[in-house]
Amino acid sequence: MKKTKYPKIYRIIHWAIAISFLLLLLTIFLRLTWLNKFNVAAIIQDYLNTTDQMLSQEQLIVLAKKIRQPMWDWHFYIGYVLVGLFSIRFTLPALGHMKFQNPLTKDLSLKEKFKKWTYLIFYVCVIISLSTGLIIEWGPKELKKPMEEIHILGIYYLVAFVVIHLAGILIAEFTDQKGIVSRIVSGTKDND
């Protein structure tokens, strides 16, 4: 039985990116649901109704944004981590540690082409998301609004990629690539 080795750097980058994206999705989910500025403002207003204090809707929204700001700061921190991780990820093929996913390679099966195109599209979307995030934070003020509109669309590709990725893992695990989950954890896979 031949053992195929998968580099530790690949596995570390893979899991660091996966965890970072899940945490990023958590910040987005919280911002869109429980920590939505209008929900938080309503909670504050409900409390103030039991006292003799009053705030305008504008003041409630400002206070709600301040309450959720520490959570939203994590969105930025994770974004910076992802910039670093993807910088490493995109540098590794040049150093010979990881392969570039080329969907135009001849003699690929339809499944392999789909997989490689999915990754290529994902990486392009990641570059757009990380770039727009950096421009929002560090770029000229006149670009902030259009970059935010593009950046917000990132939730759609990210959720779609996670679903496609997990489905692909399950299909591979239960068909022709048994042990794929073990391989990305341990780095080796037994081949028959």
Side-chain angles (χ1 to χ4, degrees), residues 41-53:
I43 292 167
I44 296 166
Q45 184 62 56
D46 287 345
Y47 171 74
L48 290 178
N49 287 340
T50 65
T51 69
D52 60 352
Q53 301 171 34

Side-chain angles (χ1 to χ4, degrees), residues 11 24 35 43 49 59 64 147 158 177 180:
R11 290 178 287 130
L24 203 62
L35 290 177
I43 292 167
N49 287 340
Q59 291 170 316
M147 291 299 112
L158 186 53
Q177 294 183 21
I180 194 167

Side-chain angles (χ1 to χ4, degrees), residues 79-104:
Y80 293 132
V81 167
L82 283 169
V83 168
L85 289 170
F86 275 101
S87 295
I88 294 167
R89 172 63 182 97
F90 294 144
T91 303
L92 288 174
L95 302 175
H97 292 289
M98 295 171 99
K99 291 180 183 176
F100 170 71
Q101 300 286 332
N102 186 356
L104 301 175

